[in-house]
Amino acid sequence: MEVEEGDGPANQASADGDSDILPAPVLGAASHSSAQWEKTLTRIIPAIVSIKMIVVRAFDTDSQKSSQASGFVVDKERGIILSNRHVVHPGPILAEAIFNQSKEEIKLTPIYRDPVHDFGFFQFNVKDIKYMDIVEIPLVVAPEKVRVGVDIRVVGNDSGERLSILSGTLARLDRKAPFYGAGKYNDWNTFYYQAASMTSGGSSGSPVINVDGEAIALNAGGSTSAASSFFLPLDRVVRVLQYLQTGVVQIPRGTLQTIFKFSPYDEVKRLGLLPQVESEVRKEFPDGTGMLVVSQVIPKGPAEGIMEPGDIIVKLNGKMVTKFVPLEEVFDSSVGHSVSFSVQRGVELKDIEVSVQDLHSITPDRYVEVGGGILNTVSYQMAVSFMVPTSGVFVAQAGYMLSMAGVSRKCCLIELNNVPIPTLEKFVEVMETLRDGERVPLRFIHLSDINKEKVSLMQVDRKWHGFNLAVRDETSGLWNYSKLAPCIGPAIYEPHTATHLALDENLGPGRDVIPSLIHIEVHMPFYIDGAANSVAAGIGLVVDAELGLVLGDRHTIPISLGDVMLTFANSIIIPGKILFIHQVYNFVLLRYDVTLLGETFVKSAVFSKKDLSQGDSVHMVCLSKAYQALVRKTVVTNKRQFFVAEPIPPCFRAINVEGIELENPISNAGVLTDEVGHIQALYAAHSKFSSKGKSEFFMGMPISLIEPTVTHVRNLLLEQKVLEPYAYTLEAELSYAQVAQARVLGLPDSWVKRLEGTHLSRRNVLVIRRVTSGTEACKLLKEGDMILAVDGNAVADYNEIMKHTDKSELNLTIMRDKKELSLTVPASLMSIHTSERIVGWSGAVFQMPHRAIFHQLKTVPEGVLCSVVYDGSPAQLYQLQPLSWVTEINGQKILNLDDLVEAVSKIPSDSFARVKTVNFQRFVKVLAIRVNTHYFGTWQLKRVVGGGDWILETIDVAQQL
């Protein structure tokens, strides 16, 4: 674990900013030959293990992640391995160890993680080691063996290497505990050793070995600015190990919720240390260099109001104490009892008593999963970092539901639905009264700014994610799950009426259009079909107020999976349902329940019959994010083709359409209208992709391209018929080429005249830019083909190809390699939705390849597409990559999601699955993934046939062998 040197908060135990420290002068330091070290290392290396672990849930100070570290055997009979607390972790983990000698891999069970100090223990089944004799490394705390100038070796897994040996020399024995950052794991109330030995990632948990082959400390951290390493002394480690060896699981640990710091005499004197007190202390500890001082008292802890920062500790239970170890020995043996202190406060000596609290009681051992997030009680670690009490609902991971409400990690929830929630239990109680989709007020703070309370609206999620309680089992090391109360039903929306917006006369046609414009907000719980955002907002156009039919864009609603909320008149928010998603053009159709708007005035937009042309005057009508009307009269400067670079991962791109550009446009979504407010174009955002990421640009789209779909859907709704795929499309991306270029490629003059005759203002030829793989069209068409005619009629613009939505095949005349060809090319029936089923397994999300994949890849592998790999999952640990195809599992061919579910259902938990994959660049890779159904069960989300709601299902798997 690495640490940036420098002090933490003024009232916090932290690193002392002394990265320039030089080793103290050593007199008579022992020197050992390389032969001695070689013999020692040969003896102890078999006890070293490399540890791979995944933090399967965010919890307390930890995020969900995978990592690597080191450890070493300290009890070969019981199979106990010592490592760091930040390796064992406070929350649920899955860990494996590889012995460096025999390369045998074993499962590790966490059996103890210290609440404060940076050490913890794993245990393994010694019977699992078959090809070597297990060796243990003895732990020593003898002062004569731990002194400045001692030669050491740090042996472990450094920077990902299976085995690394780094040499060093102990330079300090009284360094402050390193500070790793507010809100991260930190240690306190202990000294650390320091040595000039640059350890790095993966070396955490390595033993610090002397020449006798004994562990004298535990490697814990290192400086990023100097070649210094920090080691934890073993005094408290040995104590806990002795308890574990006798079968005690709940190790006695006491606390006053008070942070002490060791201050040298010169600093203590500045605090007012009385001469007679100093004299007595120096007499008792002639080799001592300082005393303990109270640094921080946690609010509402047992010492609040009794101890104060700056108190100098003179005696504890009648005995003088200047070191951390005797201090903690008293605390750990006095849980539930009071201890007496003699302290100096200012110039006054005071005798005080403080009750010792059970440290484990303020160390969270449970969490709640809700809406994709993780909640636990505020821990002692967080309390020290942010000077808050060890109580309250802490957000370890915001997840889908809370992040949509503006809540982030390290927030504390205060009220939900106007009810105080001081505990996890109260939070659960309130959540159980809420309906799925209900919007309720949420009050919270961020721990970094506890003086600023925030209130937002939270939309309850009981559909996309589970609602569970997990409690740590100290015996098994697992966190056992129990399902919390099921959802009481979907949200019930009451009708409301909003007054009509009063609009200025100067808005012109905007006054007629604004009542048709609404806000759209969509929340997407999973990243599928290449969608990379969890929330998007845009503008909708009501095209039929009686049916509740709304026109939107695919930049706002890229996929069928999600929650859609519609805002009317900046006064009423109601849910919307996705009816239709166009597969080529940038538009979608939504529907809402008109009864929820009461008597609210909503106007159906009127479509213009006239297409816009270059030079036309037009009114641009938009809604700002604050629901303000924005109207500007402008001019069409151009109608042109535009291309969006193919993104990675592939996702929807509008193709085969000309964009309308304006003079001095408003950078906002809306519509383009004529003088009387009739809609001539949808002005919407398009996604743009580059090496710098995703951005957006705005283009107008002729309403004439959208009107046929709107009419078709409206008629089906009026007839109360099910909406099904109905429109055909040519599976090719087209582009315009100059006639001059086409001549060079072999276009004869006769065709030039015909094409120029179709559009007197155009001088271009349609060229196939890309053909969608896996379709009938890709068998007949090639990139570079020039399309000259459809059904014998010359064509020169996109719409002359795209308007044939009622034809299942097109008779094309093309020019290829200077030869004229007549082809009958099958068209494809376009889906009206995007992916409608996903499966989760081993911490990855799978789906069938979507349209953008086929459009972007020349050859799409058989199998199911891995679209997401979550941090801290088996899929991540064993390097399953997003945007790869799973083609085979345990020898079973995987062609679709049913095959995947069938294959993984046969795999018992804790066994390995052999997974064959093909990546985006067609490289084949075979992985072995250890399945864990306890934390990573198999599930699926699928949409009800006919465009209904989504259903979350768990999938049963084979029992453990």
Side-chain angles (χ1 to χ4, degrees):
M1 196 170 185
E2 294 182 344
V3 57
E4 290 284 357
E5 287 291 336
D7 287 336
N11 63 346
Q12 181 165 354
S14 63
D16 45 2
D18 49 8
S19 60
D20 296 328
I21 286 179
L22 296 175
V26 180
L27 300 177
S31 177
H32 304 287
S33 68
S34 59
Q36 287 178 288
W37 273 114
E38 182 178 354
K39 183 178 179 181
T40 295
L41 293 173
T42 301
R43 187 173 73 252
I44 62 98
I45 282 175
I48 310 296
V49 296
S50 299
I51 297 174
K52 295 186 300 181
M53 69 279 190
I54 48 178
V55 181
V56 301
R57 296 291 188 274
F59 183 77
D60 192 16
T61 58
D62 290 335
S63 299
Q64 198 166 325
K65 61 185 177 182
S66 65
S67 188
Q68 59 188 10
S70 302
F72 59 101
V73 178
V74 293
D75 188 325
K76 63 182 180 181
E77 302 297 331
R78 297 174 179 84
I80 298 178
I81 289 175
L82 173 63
S83 191
N84 291 121
R85 188 261 197 191
H86 72 259
V87 174
V88 180
H89 291 283
I93 70 165
L94 296 174
E96 299 169 350
I98 299 175
F99 277 85
N100 285 295
Q101 183 182 48
S102 65
K103 306 305 180 189
E104 292 178 84
E105 186 175 77
I106 53 171
K107 276 187 60 181
L108 298 180
T109 299
I111 58 173
Y112 180 81
R113 74 278 291 154
D114 196 79
V116 173
H117 300 318
D118 199 4
F119 73 93
F121 292 95
F122 290 106
Q123 192 166 30
F124 66 94
N125 187 349
V126 295
K127 295 181 181 178
D128 291 340
I129 301 300
K130 299 179 173 60
Y131 302 103
M132 62 171 279
D133 293 327
I134 302 175
V135 175
E136 68 182 31
I137 298 177
L139 307 181
V140 296
V141 293
E144 65 273 11
K145 295 200 174 187
V146 184
R147 61 187 188 279
V148 172
V150 168
D151 288 339
I152 58 169
R153 299 293 184 269
V154 181
V155 187
N157 166 28
D158 190 75
S159 295
E161 298 293 334
R162 282 289 175 88
L163 183 66
S164 178
I165 302 171
L166 301 176
S167 61
T169 303
L170 286 185
R172 286 186 63 180
L173 305 181
D174 59 353
R175 192 196 191 282
K176 291 182 180 179
F179 175 67
Y180 299 115
K184 298 181 180 180
Y185 165 73
N186 290 292
D187 201 347
W188 55 79
N189 292 352
T190 183
F191 288 124
Y192 267 67
Y193 302 155
Q194 180 175 313
S197 174
M198 189 56 184
T199 58
S200 56
S203 64
S204 292
S206 300
V208 180
I209 301 294
N210 64 14
V211 74
D212 296 323
E214 299 163 327
I216 62 172
L218 180 66
N219 186 42
S223 171
T224 58
S225 58
S228 298
S229 298
F230 312 130
F231 310 136
L232 177 71
L234 299 179
D235 305 81
R236 312 314 291 159
V237 176
V238 170
R239 170 183 176 270
V240 172
L241 178 60
Q242 290 170 348
Y243 272 109
L244 294 175
Q245 289 171 328
T246 59
V248 176
V249 177
Q250 194 70 22
I251 313 297
R253 291 285 275 117
T255 182
L256 305 184
Q257 290 197 42
T258 301
I259 310 303
F260 301 89
K261 67 176 181 179
F262 180 81
S263 297
Y265 282 119
D266 58 322
E267 292 184 12
V268 183
K269 284 182 178 180
R270 290 195 289 271
L271 292 175
L273 180 64
L274 297 172
Q276 64 269 28
V277 174
E278 179 182 2
S279 177
E280 291 177 11
V281 173
R282 284 184 179 272
K283 182 178 180 181
E284 181 73 19
F285 304 105
D287 296 328
T289 59
M291 300 176 68
L292 296 178
V293 177
V294 175
S295 172
Q296 186 178 353
V297 179
I298 303 302
K300 298 184 180 180
E304 184 183 36
I306 302 174
M307 285 185 157
E308 294 182 5
D311 284 354
I312 303 169
I313 306 302
V314 180
K315 292 181 180 180
L316 172 60
N317 284 349
K319 296 182 179 180
M320 287 187 177
V321 58
T322 61
K323 299 291 181 66
F324 292 111
V325 171
L327 186 81
E328 289 217 326
E329 284 178 348
V330 172
F331 293 166
D332 290 345
S333 61
S334 304
V335 176
H337 300 88
S338 294
V339 293
S340 60
F341 283 92
S342 176
V343 302
Q344 183 183 330
R345 183 176 301 164
V347 296
E348 185 181 359
L349 287 172
K350 286 181 170 289
D351 292 325
I352 57 177
E353 283 197 359
V354 187
S355 295
V356 178
Q357 186 179 17
D358 182 359
L359 181 54
H360 297 296
S361 70
I362 56 172
T363 303
D365 65 349
R366 61 196 60 212
Y367 60 84
V368 170
E369 291 182 342
V370 59
I374 304 289
L375 307 176
N376 59 260
T377 303
V378 175
S379 69
Y380 191 21
Q381 286 283 335
M382 288 297 171
V384 171
S385 280
F386 298 105
M387 199 59 182
V388 295
T390 55
S391 61
V393 179
F394 174 77
V395 180
Q397 177 177 295
Y400 171 66
M401 181 179 74
L402 291 174
S403 64
M404 294 302 101
V407 177
S408 61
R409 174 170 162 77
K410 298 180 187 176
C411 284
C412 274
L413 308 185
I414 300 172
E415 288 181 2
L416 178 60
N417 201 21
N418 299 317
V419 178
I421 46 173
T423 63
L424 274 184
E425 291 74 19
K426 189 61 179 179
F427 171 83
V428 170
E429 179 184 322
V430 176
M431 269 297 298
E432 289 175 343
T433 67
L434 303 178
R435 294 176 173 270
D436 178 61
E438 188 175 352
R439 292 167 68 89
V440 296
L442 175 68
R443 184 180 297 272
F444 62 96
I445 60 170
H446 195 281
L447 288 179
S448 64
D449 189 2
I450 61 175
N451 298 307
K452 186 188 296 182
E453 290 189 0
K454 299 180 181 180
V455 179
S456 66
L457 286 178
M458 184 189 84
Q459 184 167 324
V460 176
D461 169 31
R462 296 297 305 275
K463 174 171 60 178
W464 307 115
H465 301 89
F467 185 33
N468 306 302
L469 174 68
V471 180
R472 184 171 65 214
D473 184 334
E474 297 290 358
T475 303
S476 67
L478 291 174
W479 293 64
N480 295 324
Y481 280 91
S482 58
K483 290 186 177 181
L484 296 172
C487 181
I488 59 176
I492 299 174
Y493 290 87
E494 298 293 334
H496 295 282
T497 297
T499 57
H500 183 45
L501 288 172
L503 300 173
D504 195 286
E505 293 285 346
N506 295 329
L507 292 180
R511 298 181 75 246
D512 295 318
V513 176
I514 292 298
S516 303
L517 293 181
I518 64 173
H519 274 170
I520 300 174
E521 184 170 291
V522 59
H523 299 165
M524 290 162 279
F526 297 97
Y527 295 155
I528 63 170
D529 289 0
N533 295 324
S534 57
V535 62
I539 301 301
L541 177 71
V542 177
V543 295
D544 194 315
E546 293 184 359
L547 293 174
L549 195 59
V550 176
L551 172 66
D553 64 84
R554 287 203 63 177
H555 180 78
T556 305
I557 306 177
I559 59 177
S560 300
L561 179 70
D563 296 312
V564 178
M565 302 304 293
L566 310 177
T567 303
F568 291 79
N570 203 23
S571 177
I572 302 172
I573 300 176
I574 61 174
K577 179 183 178 182
I578 302 171
L579 283 184
F580 177 94
I581 297 183
H582 204 280
Q583 303 300 308
V584 178
Y585 294 154
N586 183 27
F587 76 89
V588 302
L589 291 175
L590 314 171
R591 195 180 188 189
Y592 62 89
D593 184 351
V594 296
T595 64
L596 297 179
L597 295 181
E599 300 300 318
T600 304
F601 176 66
V602 180
K603 183 178 180 182
S604 300
V606 179
F607 291 167
S608 171
K609 299 297 183 182
K610 178 183 179 299
D611 271 345
L612 289 171
S613 300
Q614 190 174 17
D616 284 349
S617 293
V618 67
H619 292 268
M620 188 176 186
V621 184
C622 306
L623 273 183
S624 72
K625 292 181 179 179
Y627 221 92
Q628 294 176 318
L630 305 174
V631 180
R632 178 176 295 171
K633 188 172 183 179
T634 183
V635 175
V636 176
T637 57
N638 198 8
K639 285 182 69 177
R640 65 172 180 86
Q641 67 173 341
F642 65 92
F643 296 106
V644 177
E646 289 90 348
I648 299 295
C651 63
F652 168 78
R653 298 180 302 122
I655 60 173
N656 300 348
V657 64
E658 293 180 347
I660 299 172
E661 292 184 326
L662 304 174
E663 180 182 67
N664 192 24
I666 302 172
S667 295
N668 213 317
V671 292
L672 307 182
T673 79
D674 59 18
E675 291 291 341
V676 295
H678 291 179
I679 310 300
Q680 294 179 291
L682 176 68
Y683 195 76
H686 292 255
S687 299
K688 181 169 64 176
F689 307 91
S690 68
S691 59
K692 297 181 180 179
K694 181 180 177 181
S695 58
E696 64 182 25
F697 65 96
F698 291 89
M699 281 279 190
M701 177 181 175
I703 205 68
S704 60
L705 301 181
I706 302 172
E707 191 274 336
T709 300
V710 172
T711 300
H712 177 81
V713 172
R714 178 190 285 123
N715 292 337
L716 288 177
L717 294 177
L718 289 171
E719 298 169 6
Q720 296 184 350
K721 292 183 178 179
V722 176
L723 182 59
E724 295 178 340
Y726 74 97
Y728 290 89
T729 187
L730 180 67
E731 291 288 3
E733 180 178 1
L734 309 176
S735 65
Y736 293 153
Q738 296 177 354
V739 170
Q741 294 175 334
R743 286 182 187 272
V744 175
L745 295 174
L747 185 67
D749 288 344
S750 58
W751 271 109
V752 171
K753 291 180 180 179
R754 287 188 64 182
L755 293 173
E756 291 178 350
T758 60
H759 292 279
L760 298 179
S761 62
R762 287 187 181 274
R763 291 293 185 271
N764 57 256
V765 179
L766 285 171
V767 177
I768 294 178
R769 184 171 182 264
R770 188 182 291 274
V771 183
T772 306
S773 62
T775 63
E776 292 299 315
C778 77
K779 300 175 183 178
L780 300 171
L781 300 176
K782 293 183 177 181
E783 285 81 358
D785 285 351
M786 289 180 281
I787 300 180
L788 307 178
V790 177
D791 294 333
N793 300 312
V795 293
D797 71 38
Y798 294 136
N799 195 40
E800 289 169 342
I801 297 290
M802 300 301 295
K803 68 182 180 181
H804 299 287
T805 57
D806 59 337
K807 294 183 177 181
S808 61
E809 58 184 26
L810 298 178
N811 297 313
L812 303 181
T813 303
I814 68 169
M815 181 70 66
R816 179 188 300 163
D817 299 331
K818 299 184 178 181
K819 295 180 182 178
E820 184 177 321
L821 301 175
S822 295
L823 300 175
T824 299
V825 181
S828 295
L829 188 64
M830 287 190 292
S831 170
I832 62 173
H833 290 290
T834 58
S835 296
E836 297 185 288
R837 183 187 181 192
I838 59 175
V839 173
W841 174 70
S842 286
V845 176
F846 299 89
Q847 64 173 98
M848 293 306 296
H850 51 97
R851 178 184 173 85
I853 293 285
F854 287 96
H855 192 73
Q856 199 158 318
L857 285 185
K858 190 75 173 177
T859 302
V860 176
E862 292 184 332
V864 296
L865 177 67
C866 175
S867 57
V868 178
V869 173
Y870 289 108
D871 291 341
S873 68
Q876 184 195 41
L877 180 65
Y878 295 103
Q879 301 181 355
L880 177 64
Q881 298 297 320
L883 205 57
S884 63
W885 281 258
V886 172
T887 61
E888 188 179 293
I889 295 179
N890 285 349
Q892 179 177 337
K893 197 167 187 178
I894 306 298
L895 297 177
N896 51 50
L897 292 176
D898 286 335
D899 291 342
L900 175 69
V901 170
E902 179 185 352
V904 301
S905 298
K906 299 175 184 176
I907 305 171
S909 186
D910 201 35
S911 63
F912 278 96
R914 184 180 184 274
V915 181
K916 187 175 183 180
T917 66
V918 181
N919 70 8
F920 204 67
Q921 289 76 33
R922 300 185 299 280
F923 286 96
V924 177
K925 190 175 182 180
V926 177
L927 311 172
I929 298 177
R930 188 192 290 272
V931 176
N932 181 276
T933 58
H934 185 82
Y935 297 115
F936 297 96
T938 305
W939 54 268
Q940 67 176 352
L941 262 173
K942 60 181 180 180
R943 195 169 190 176
V944 175
V945 177
D949 209 348
W950 291 79
I951 298 176
L952 174 64
E953 299 175 339
T954 57
I955 297 173
D956 294 332
V957 298
Q959 297 299 311
Q960 185 171 354
L961 292 175

